[in-house]
Amino acid sequence: MTARPESARVRLWEPDPAVPAGALPVFGELHTSARRRAAASLFFPLPFVIGGIALFFAGKGVAAPLFLVVFFGVALVAAIAILTTLRRAVPFLGARFEPVDCAPDGVILAGREVGVRLPDGRWLRTRMPAPLRVQLAGERRLWLLRVGERAMVTLPGSGVLGAARITDGPLPGARVLPVASREPTSPRLDPVLTAYRRYVARLCWYPAAVYGVVAVLAGWASADLPDEPALQPARGGAVFVAAFVGVLALVLMVRVFRLRAPLAADTWTELAVVLDRMVSINGRGLVRLQGRAVLPDGGTVGFRMRNVPVAFGLATATTGQLWIAGVPRPGKSATAGIPGHAVMGTVRLT
């Protein structure tokens, strides 16, 4: 585990190229536990999906069966997709990360697909979301795992592994990705952070839409149930689900608009931090940090971070460095990130 300086001040956690990926701290453990959780999560929604289909063919109406199939079917499809993705990464756990420094004309772009010329003259092809493309435009290096013609790639500080393949030729019809400035800038003007916030906002639309559909179906199911005393608990449960899921959809929509608005902070504040406990990983593969932070005036406060990416958590834990957008205020929450990198979280100062 290494902390490589990106500038005079900003530091990151990056993989050790001498150690297989599966033996890296947290990485192999995270992958194994994530596969176990994804496999276990298949069994909970499956009976409800089957039950919904059975109710439909038994002539028990349309609303209640449709609600069961949609509500639990989404969870089932998500679990299958996650498990499939994780299984594809298993062969790479025995490979070692390779650092790749990109030449100024060695990064090309065709839509969302990126091509990188490797040191051996071959080309790496992968799809990258907008914030990673913006980061790569300025910081022209990445980490590569390869097994034959297949590969996985991650950018410094992001911790996101993307599938890739290695080919003999470049992307057809691609253009050279211009080199962007890596000069430090404010959170409000940071192009990578701005692109990352907009990307997360777009991702939030999907669960918001699903929650909205589920809320409508739950309300329809409650109205469609026969007016019988034995079904009153089911009717009440459907109303509760409709209200609860509807509130979740509204919360996500508010988050979308907040993320699309630029940050008001014009400065980054660096805090020195020490953890009180080990980094812990939750069921979604995100980490939780807790410890003490030293303010610029020398005072100390407690801090808590929940649901942050693993690479962000490891960078904070191993470098003792935490960047806050704006002026830290004890008792308040603030946006935290790594200047110039596609990662973000929320920190609570206590």
Side-chain angles (χ1 to χ4, degrees), residues 4-14 101-102 104 107 130-143 155-158 177-186 189-196 268 321 323 337-343:
R4 172 173 175 171
E6 289 303 298
S7 66
R9 298 172 62 190
V10 180
R11 299 187 297 276
L12 304 173
W13 175 88
E14 299 198 51
D101 293 312
C102 310
V107 182
L132 295 183
R133 297 197 300 268
V134 176
Q135 179 178 326
L136 185 62
E139 186 182 16
R140 302 179 86 84
R141 65 186 188 90
L142 50 83
W143 289 92
L155 265 58
S158 72
L177 182 66
V179 178
S181 172
R182 288 294 294 171
E183 290 297 321
T185 186
S186 69
L189 301 176
D190 190 321
V192 181
L193 183 59
T194 300
Y196 182 79
W268 289 101
Q321 185 183 61
W323 292 93
I338 300 177
H341 294 80
V343 68

Side-chain angles (χ1 to χ4, degrees), residues 9 17 38 44 54 72 82 90 111 138 145 162 176 179 188 224 238 244 279 315 336 342:
R9 298 172 62 190
F44 175 72
F72 293 99
I82 292 172
V90 171
L145 284 172
V176 174
V179 178
R188 182 171 57 86
D224 191 55
F244 180 73
V279 176

Side-chain angles (χ1 to χ4, degrees), residues 199-209 211 249 252-253 255-256 259:
Y199 173 70
V200 175
R202 286 195 298 271
L203 292 182
C204 286
W205 277 116
Y206 298 105
Y211 288 152
L252 282 173
M253 292 179 64
R255 178 172 170 78
V256 166
L259 286 169

Side-chain angles (χ1 to χ4, degrees), residues 12-315:
L12 304 173
W13 175 88
E14 299 198 51
D16 186 344
V19 178
L24 288 172
V26 177
F27 189 87
E29 173 193 350
L30 174 63
H31 190 274
T32 301
S33 61
R35 277 191 297 143
R36 190 180 300 116
R37 287 192 301 269
S41 64
L42 294 175
F43 297 99
F44 175 72
L46 187 58
F48 292 96
V49 174
I50 296 174
I53 296 174
L55 288 175
F56 176 77
F57 286 103
K60 300 298 182 181
V62 176
L66 188 60
F67 166 73
L68 290 174
V69 171
V70 172
F71 186 78
F72 293 99
V74 169
L76 182 62
V77 170
I80 293 174
I82 292 172
L83 183 61
T84 302
T85 302
L86 291 170
R87 286 190 178 278
R88 288 176 180 171
V90 171
F92 295 95
L93 295 179
R96 289 173 169 81
F97 279 98
E98 305 173 28
V100 177
D101 293 312
C102 310
D105 62 347
V107 182
I108 56 178
L109 184 67
R112 291 184 300 171
E113 195 166 7
V114 176
V116 176
R117 188 169 61 236
L118 299 175
D120 61 5
R122 305 188 73 193
W123 286 85
L124 176 76
R125 297 186 182 185
T126 184
R127 287 182 177 271
M128 286 188 182
L132 295 183
R133 297 197 300 268
V134 176
Q135 179 178 326
L136 185 62
E139 186 182 16
R140 302 179 86 84
R141 65 186 188 90
L142 50 83
W143 289 92
L144 171 68
L145 284 172
R146 70 168 94 189
V147 177
E149 305 297 315
R150 299 170 57 207
M152 300 199 80
V153 62
T154 184
L155 265 58
S158 72
V160 178
L161 277 172
R165 57 192 177 96
I166 298 174
T167 62
D168 293 327
L171 291 168
R175 59 180 178 85
V176 174
L177 182 66
V179 178
S181 172
R182 288 294 294 171
E183 290 297 321
T185 186
S186 69
R188 182 171 57 86
L189 301 176
D190 190 321
V192 181
L193 183 59
T194 300
Y196 182 79
R197 287 170 59 85
R198 290 177 178 173
Y199 173 70
V200 175
R202 286 195 298 271
L203 292 182
C204 286
W205 277 116
Y206 298 105
V210 171
Y211 288 152
V213 171
V214 169
V216 171
L217 289 176
W220 180 22
S222 67
D224 191 55
L225 288 173
D227 191 12
E228 300 176 4
L231 295 178
Q232 290 307 311
R235 185 190 301 274
V239 171
F240 172 79
V241 170
F244 180 73
V245 177
V247 169
L248 289 180
L250 290 175
V251 169
L252 282 173
M253 292 179 64
V254 170
R255 178 172 170 78
V256 166
F257 289 109
R258 292 183 62 183
L259 286 169
R260 291 193 61 83
L263 285 171
D266 286 318
T267 59
W268 289 101
T269 301
E270 179 187 358
L271 304 181
V273 299
V274 177
L275 300 188
D276 291 340
R277 60 184 65 180
M278 296 293 292
V279 176
S280 59
I281 305 172
N282 66 15
R284 292 183 291 167
L286 302 174
V287 302
R288 175 179 179 179
L289 304 175
Q290 182 173 326
R292 304 291 297 176
V294 180
L295 299 174
D297 61 6
T300 61
V301 295
F303 80 94
R304 294 195 305 270
M305 297 178 68
R306 297 179 179 177
N307 300 329
V308 297
V310 172
F312 189 12
L314 289 177

